[in-house]
Amino acid sequence: MFPDSWKLADVTPVFKNDDPSLVNNYRPISLLSLLSKTLERCVHNHCLAHISPQLYRMQHGFLKGRSTVTQLLAVYQDTIEGLAEDDLPGYIKNKSKVALFADDSKLYKTISKLSDSEALQEDLSCLSDWCKDWNMDFNTSKCKALNISKKKSPTVRNYQLNNESLVTVKEITDLGISINDKLLCSSHIAQISKRANRTLGHVKRLCSHQGFDVNWGFALFLSPVVTVKLITNSINSNSNTS
């Protein structure tokens, strides 16, 4: 049995976006007991080998060697290649692709003509039907449509999910990275650069006052920020040359 005391957690609400006065715009982060996490890890190690073969190939959440970065790069590669590969869950009918990170999902498809957009809408309806069959539901208010194209007049339409129209945006934050309708991360890079420069100033002052090695400060504070920037810079470079 799992002791009740091990189920207790310190919950910290972390703001996500939009209106900070709304509770729904905060993500609860739970700090659990080390003993409960140790037991969960033991169960995880015993179950993983059995469960892994059943997981969808494009599920990147909480799996060894996979992360938000691997999912973003996989979707980016599919977008560049025009979705040439057909590897879909059984409930999708029209060769759209589904990418997952835990319970975050995205459905995407190359739109060359009007019938392609109609096929994508049909697959959105299939997702709705699948959710109903499993007594689940998408949070439609958080779902957005992004048309990625370099054409002056791309094929666009109003998509619906659960009989509600999806808001079409020019830029979206996907797993922490902002991507626009040209498949560029310009605004995200600008934001990261500003943050990195601000952090660099703090590191220099800290190392100067405390006598620490600047390389130590860089590795501790700046390296994670710069790594994200390098990834988004790579996406930008490839998008500009594709």
Side-chain angles (χ1 to χ4, degrees):
M1 297 293 292
F2 204 82
D4 289 339
S5 60
W6 289 10
K7 301 176 184 178
L8 299 177
D10 290 330
V11 180
T12 301
V14 177
F15 178 65
K16 294 186 291 185
N17 51 36
D18 296 333
D19 188 351
S21 66
L22 298 178
V23 175
N24 290 339
N25 291 331
Y26 288 81
R27 183 187 303 277
I29 303 298
S30 299
L31 301 179
L32 298 168
S33 162
L34 288 177
L35 291 174
S36 67
K37 293 172 72 173
T38 301
L39 178 59
E40 288 177 356
R41 175 56 61 178
C42 292
V43 175
H44 169 272
N45 291 340
H46 279 82
C47 295
L48 185 61
H50 173 71
I51 295 175
S52 291
Q54 314 302 322
L55 296 177
Y56 175 47
R57 186 186 67 86
M58 285 292 283
Q59 171 62 267
H60 289 252
F62 308 107
L63 294 174
K64 186 177 181 180
R66 295 195 169 193
S67 65
T68 56
V69 173
T70 60
Q71 200 247 52
L72 286 167
L73 291 177
V75 174
Y76 163 76
Q77 187 66 30
D78 282 340
T79 305
I80 292 298
E81 294 178 354
L83 310 181
E85 183 182 355
D86 181 12
D87 181 11
L88 312 171
Y91 50 89
I92 299 299
K93 299 178 180 179
N94 296 300
K95 296 186 178 180
S96 301
K97 293 197 81 172
V98 178
L100 307 172
F101 188 88
D103 59 348
D104 289 336
S105 309
K106 61 173 69 74
L107 181 74
Y108 55 104
K109 179 180 176 64
T110 297
I111 306 297
S112 302
K113 50 188 181 296
L114 184 60
S115 59
D116 292 330
S117 64
E118 293 172 349
L120 180 58
Q121 176 57 63
E122 184 178 355
D123 284 338
L124 281 168
S125 299
C126 289
L127 283 181
S128 296
D129 293 339
W130 179 83
C131 284
K132 291 177 182 177
D133 290 341
W134 288 93
N135 294 319
M136 297 189 297
D137 200 4
F138 285 106
N139 188 342
T140 311
S141 64
K142 294 184 178 180
C143 296
K144 303 290 187 293
L146 176 68
N147 298 307
I148 298 176
S149 176
K150 293 187 177 181
K151 297 180 180 179
K152 292 184 178 180
S153 301
T155 302
V156 297
R157 65 161 291 163
N158 179 34
Y159 294 101
Q160 292 190 333
L161 181 64
N162 295 337
N163 296 319
E164 294 184 32
S165 294
L166 297 179
V167 177
T168 300
V169 296
K170 294 291 185 180
E171 183 174 274
I172 196 168
T173 300
D174 183 17
L175 298 180
I177 294 182
S178 298
I179 300 174
N180 65 19
D181 57 357
K182 303 299 181 185
L183 199 59
L184 298 175
C185 308
S186 305
S187 64
H188 188 83
I189 291 174
Q191 181 183 4
I192 293 296
S193 297
K194 182 178 179 180
R195 176 183 165 193
N197 287 327
R198 184 170 61 247
T199 303
L200 179 60
H202 294 324
V203 169
K204 285 182 176 179
R205 287 191 293 272
L206 175 65
C207 293
S208 175
H209 292 160
Q210 301 297 330
F212 295 143
D213 184 358
V214 175
N215 291 328
W216 169 84
F218 179 87
L220 184 61
F221 296 105
L222 273 176
S223 182
V225 177
V226 174
T227 300
V228 172
K229 185 181 178 184
L230 289 174
I231 294 170
T232 51
N233 265 333
S234 175
I235 291 176
N236 264 17
S237 298
N238 289 328
S239 296
N240 283 324
T241 57
S242 298

